[in-house]
Amino acid sequence: MNNKKQGGSGTLMKVGLASLLMTVGAHNVLAGEEVSGGSLFGDMQTVTQDLLDRAAGDSNNFLHTNANYEQTRFYPAQQVNRENVHNLERAWTFKMDVVDSLETTPIVINGTMFVTSSFNHVYALDAKTGKQKWHYEHEMGLITTYCCGPNNRGVAALDDMVYMGTLDARLVALDAKTGKKMWDVEIADPELGYSETMSPTIVNGKVLIGTNGGEYGIRGFVKAFDAKTGALLWTFHSIPEDSTGVWAENDATGLYMHRDIKAEKAALKKLGDPYKTLGGGVWQNMAIDRDANRAYFVVGNPSPDLYGAVRPGDNLYTNSLVAVDLDSGEKICHFQYIAHDVWDLDAVSPPILVPVKNEDGQTVKGVLHGGKTGYVYVHNASDCSLIRYSEPMVMQRDRWVLPTKEGASMLPGANGGVEWSPMATDPSQGLVYAANIHQPMTYHVEETPYPGGKLWLGGAFKVITDQQQWGNITAVDYNTGKIKWKVKTHQPMIGGVLATAGGLVFAGEGNGLFKAYNSTSGELMWQDQTEAGVNAPPASYNVDGEQYVVVGSGGNAQMNYTRGNEIIAYKLNKK
Amino acid sequence: MITSKSLLLMLTALMIFSNEVIAEAERAAPEASAEIGEQDKYASIRENLKTCFTCHGDNGQSKLGTFPILAGQEFYYMYVQLKDMKTGLRESQVMGPIVANIEKADLKLLAMFFSEQKWPETSYEINAKQSARGQRVIDEGGCTACHLATLKGNSRIPRLANQHPEYLKNTMHDFRNEVRNNAPAMASLLKTYTDEDIDAIANYLGSFKE
């Protein structure tokens, strides 16, 4: 923890090949090996709070999973742009040890990249060459409980440490220079259904992390840990002890949800408040408003997913946008999209903080969220209230028909719309870019009591296999809610988007294609065929005056896209 | 309930093989206790293991279709199954009485022991057409989201790849018929499949090699 660097970055660059080879020979470059005076391939720059704060304007580093505290996924570098993107070529490819679902976002600090794979491996790479500096493999506990693949979405950094949440629900702090584990604390009990796949968010010396488990009857939370010691500082329960709410009959778009509120009220009397096993995972990063000292995040589905009779009420704060105070973890405001959800159309994709026009045309602090419903929701950040929602980005059919025993069909299917895939924005154009899924499903309900930490769906979701599936990238004008452009893809989209000041939007597909679009028109400008599904959010950075775009090609468990293990970095071929 | 057909099969199998199998188990026993001398963490279950081997084969490398392979199966999955068979949540006329008198701590050790063994080479008679259909059903059914792309499972999710097709078929029917009630989500999902689908799935899973 007190690994203060010795000397400036210059001294360490001069280590030289001979001593480097010696070090390699002597120590086999194992994780946890201390390298005298810094790292093997140069120095790491300490990640200060100031650096984290200024990430939105930093065109060298990529310091947050979603680019900056506002989570705009807008990268300010423009070296790679519409004029030259056709010259984008592979700079290097790094193969990780685990071939499985890949949802990681690499972060890059002063030429060093930190990237994770399924089953919680962490790699530090030279961002210029893709050469490995160290590799850390988490020693997994025997009990893990996760849904939808053994994913990990990346690390967060502060000072000389990087932090990762694990499938066995622990928070691990590593020395960024060596990969040596500094400490490791339990976040929650994996036997009860808790697990971690999100990358943490770090602010003011606090490591913020939520939890998975909405499919297991957990009680969701966001916890804040002390970045130095791992001590728990506060817990926000995403399910309050009174979870009943206002008995809302319509969803956020005003559509009737067919709730039997009389029956629910009777059940509430009989069963009491279901808060202890109500789910409500928070499994994507929070947007941070540094001025207002708030965190904004979305809360996932209630448990069990499809069977609502055992959980009467609105099931607060499932399927909601929530803001909490960063010092205390206390709730400031919330907005629920779907009360008493029985379709698993939960709020997942990370919220974005941008200035938006309100109903009166005034610019206010806004929050954007892309729903599994296929709508972009635009909120007023001050009180979480809804300003507007967009035109639907995917086909809607029979929305909110209730699940049945035999299976009721409804569009969108339970994966969305917008799944966990982070959206990107281009504030100069007032556009937000969302990766969408069209996947027809039937929703089956079955009476199911709490199975004690086991998978608890209360029925089944089934893809209708003889109906076509597809995806799209949709650009929405968040000041009007109108769709500016939409590009259809062959397969449902999962993985996320990056926009850049070069006028480009990057996104990958399940068939292994990684593409760049013109961010104003949606015109396809470049693509590369990789060997596995590109279902991880892209990132970008700069080393020695060259801009790189990097993405994971490892497929996806949930959508069953071809698995792989590659991290691929691209840069311009200057010839 | 175990179907009368499979129970009959099992009893026959026991009668035919028991002598030989038990003899083999005894031969295997010293090897299985190789750790004695240091400190045998399995000391308390050595006797139990001999019983297990009679049906599940030496070290759990079962050769008989109705007895699932335990060698190399996931620890936590097996521990949960043993607990559930004890409480009856997973109803098993054969396993129920066997685990009834074993303490939880020993159930844990039994699961640990088998999880540390090597999954055996297998070679089943596979119907190619059914197997091809099974692959489609599994691809479309999203089974790999939980059982992983290799279908080898992890922690509480069992390995399915090259498990005995006959056992897999039996247990999938038990899920559907609410005999196996310890995994409601698996049961709800399998209820949406036909008998032919289940035959096809079992065939495909049997086509995997080590």
Side-chain angles (χ1 to χ4, degrees), chain B residues 24-94:
Chain B
E24 245 181 80
E26 276 163 1
R27 253 181 283 124
E31 191 192 280
S33 2
E35 284 176 36
I36 292 180
E38 310 212 332
Q39 209 191 23
D40 183 9
K41 69 171 169 174
Y42 295 122
S44 66
I45 57 159
R46 290 288 169 198
E47 279 307 309
N48 291 325
L49 281 172
K50 288 184 195 165
T51 320
C52 315
F53 292 174
T54 58
C55 291
H56 290 285
D58 287 354
N59 296 327
Q61 299 182 323
S62 161
K63 293 190 170 69
L64 297 171
T66 47
F67 303 130
I69 293 170
L70 305 180
Q73 181 57 282
E74 292 293 309
F75 155 74
Y76 187 54
Y77 168 72
M78 286 194 285
Y79 175 48
V80 168
Q81 299 312 302
L82 293 170
K83 282 194 298 181
D84 289 350
M85 291 190 283
K86 198 176 163 88
T87 61
L89 204 54
R90 176 171 176 181
E91 199 180 312
S92 171
Q93 288 187 348
V94 183

Side-chain angles (χ1 to χ4, degrees), chain A residues 204-275:
Chain A
N204 270 348
K206 295 186 184 74
V207 183
L208 305 184
I209 194 157
T211 181
N212 301 333
E215 274 61 48
Y216 291 93
I218 58 145
R219 184 182 181 198
F221 56 73
V222 172
K223 291 187 180 183
F225 293 90
D226 184 299
K228 286 248 177 322
T229 64
L232 180 66
L233 300 174
W234 52 253
T235 301
F236 167 76
H237 290 286
S238 53
I239 307 290
E241 283 181 29
D242 179 356
S243 65
T244 41
V246 298
W247 306 100
E249 299 205 322
N250 299 334
D251 79 342
T253 70
L255 203 59
Y256 180 60
M257 294 183 295
H258 302 106
R259 276 176 79 175
D260 185 346
I261 287 175
K262 220 170 110 197
E264 280 183 48
K265 284 187 171 162
L268 183 66
K269 235 186 211 142
K270 206 170 123 215
L271 306 170
D273 198 292
Y275 73 95

Side-chain angles (χ1 to χ4, degrees), chain A residues 34-268:
Chain A
E34 292 278 355
V35 181
S36 64
S39 76
L40 284 175
F41 296 80
D43 195 13
M44 224 80 59
Q45 184 170 325
T46 293
V47 177
T48 59
Q49 183 57 48
D50 187 48
L51 210 56
L52 290 173
D53 285 338
R54 287 187 291 116
D58 184 341
S59 52
N60 283 316
N61 300 311
F62 200 88
L63 296 169
H64 302 264
T65 293
N66 292 314
N68 45 56
Y69 276 135
E70 295 76 22
Q71 310 208 103
T72 60
R73 291 199 136 266
F74 180 77
Y75 198 67
Q78 41 188 321
Q79 188 182 83
V80 177
N81 56 48
R82 291 174 191 168
E83 269 63 60
N84 59 20
V85 66
H86 59 272
N87 289 328
L88 204 58
E89 284 188 356
R90 288 190 195 202
W92 53 259
T93 300
F94 179 76
K95 283 190 192 292
M96 300 190 285
D97 296 70
V98 178
V99 178
D100 213 315
S101 203
L102 201 55
E103 299 188 353
T104 190
T105 297
I107 64 170
V108 181
I109 304 156
N110 199 26
T112 297
M113 178 181 297
F114 299 91
V115 64
T116 63
S117 74
S118 271
F119 292 111
N120 297 111
H121 290 241
V122 188
Y123 298 86
L125 307 177
D126 180 327
K128 189 179 165 122
T129 62
K131 279 222 174 63
Q132 180 178 315
K133 298 182 175 195
W134 54 255
H135 167 210
Y136 168 83
E137 177 178 357
H138 175 62
E139 198 178 313
M140 197 68 74
L142 289 170
I143 302 175
T144 56
T145 309
Y146 51 87
C147 121
C148 323
N151 294 302
N152 183 270
R153 300 195 182 84
V155 296
L158 180 69
D159 295 336
D160 293 332
M161 309 252 273
V162 292
Y163 301 83
M164 170 175 66
T166 65
L167 287 178
D168 54 350
R170 304 191 69 83
L171 179 63
V172 180
L174 306 177
D175 180 332
K177 289 197 292 274
T178 61
K180 188 171 158 185
K181 187 163 84 181
M182 305 307 287
W183 50 258
D184 174 352
V185 295
E186 182 178 272
I187 297 172
D189 184 356
E191 199 156 357
L192 294 176
Y194 296 90
S195 67
E196 296 296 341
T197 54
M198 68 183 282
S199 67
T201 292
I202 299 187
V203 58
N204 270 348
K206 295 186 184 74
V207 183
L208 305 184
I209 194 157
T211 181
N212 301 333
E215 274 61 48
Y216 291 93
I218 58 145
R219 184 182 181 198
F221 56 73
V222 172
K223 291 187 180 183
F225 293 90
D226 184 299
K228 286 248 177 322
T229 64
L232 180 66
L233 300 174
W234 52 253
T235 301
F236 167 76
H237 290 286
S238 53
I239 307 290
E241 283 181 29
D242 179 356
S243 65
T244 41
V246 298
W247 306 100
E249 299 205 322
N250 299 334
D251 79 342
T253 70
L255 203 59
Y256 180 60
M257 294 183 295
H258 302 106
R259 276 176 79 175
D260 185 346
I261 287 175
K262 220 170 110 197
E264 280 183 48
K265 284 187 171 162
L268 183 66

Side-chain angles (χ1 to χ4, degrees), chain A residues 147-148 215 251 283-284 298-302 305 319 337-338 341 343-350 369-377 392-396 399-400 410-421 423 434-439 441 443 461 493-494 558-559:
Chain A
C147 121
C148 323
E215 274 61 48
D251 79 342
W283 49 285
Q284 292 291 319
V298 283
V299 182
N301 59 283
D305 300 45
N319 300 19
Y337 300 103
I338 304 161
D341 169 30
W343 306 270
D344 191 22
L345 282 189
D346 56 332
V348 197
S349 178
H369 165 64
K372 274 190 178 177
T373 50
Y375 292 86
V376 171
Y377 302 98
M393 300 181 284
V394 292
M395 198 188 275
Q396 307 280 322
R399 202 168 94 230
W400 312 119
M410 173 180 105
L411 277 172
N415 286 327
V418 187
E419 239 290 348
W420 61 269
S421 315
M423 304 192 295
N436 277 282
I437 290 171
H438 169 85
Q439 188 182 45
M441 275 192 192
Y443 294 83
F461 305 99
M493 294 289 278
I494 195 161
Q558 198 175 344
M559 304 299 288

Side-chain angles (χ1 to χ4, degrees), chain B residues 84-169:
Chain B
D84 289 350
M85 291 190 283
K86 198 176 163 88
T87 61
L89 204 54
R90 176 171 176 181
E91 199 180 312
S92 171
Q93 288 187 348
V94 183
M95 284 299 299
I98 293 173
V99 288
N101 298 316
I102 306 179
E103 296 296 319
K104 258 191 178 176
D106 282 347
L107 293 181
K108 204 168 196 167
L109 282 176
L110 285 164
M112 186 65 75
F113 173 85
F114 285 112
S115 73
E116 288 168 353
Q117 310 306 311
K118 196 175 172 303
W119 192 277
E121 302 281 342
T122 56
S123 124
Y124 305 117
E125 268 179 43
I126 297 302
N127 175 321
K129 215 168 124 193
Q130 284 206 351
S131 170
R133 171 175 169 167
Q135 178 168 16
R136 211 165 49 241
V137 173
I138 282 197
D139 278 349
E140 293 170 351
C143 316
T144 62
C146 299
H147 291 278
L148 302 188
T150 54
L151 291 163
K152 285 186 178 172
N154 175 235
S155 188
R156 65 166 71 222
I157 312 271
R159 171 176 179 150
L160 305 177
N162 67 341
Q163 179 60 278
H164 292 298
E166 189 177 349
Y167 163 72
L168 287 171
K169 214 155 73 180

Side-chain angles (χ1 to χ4, degrees), chain A residues 452-487:
Chain A
K454 289 197 182 188
L455 192 65
W456 195 25
L457 302 180
F461 305 99
K462 247 193 122 177
V463 172
I464 306 173
T465 50
D466 55 6
Q467 288 185 20
Q468 224 195 337
Q469 305 181 15
W470 64 80
N472 72 51
I473 299 277
T474 307
V476 170
D477 181 335
Y478 48 73
N479 290 317
T480 63
K482 293 261 183 306
I483 289 175
K484 173 102 186 273
W485 55 260
K486 194 195 282 189
V487 181

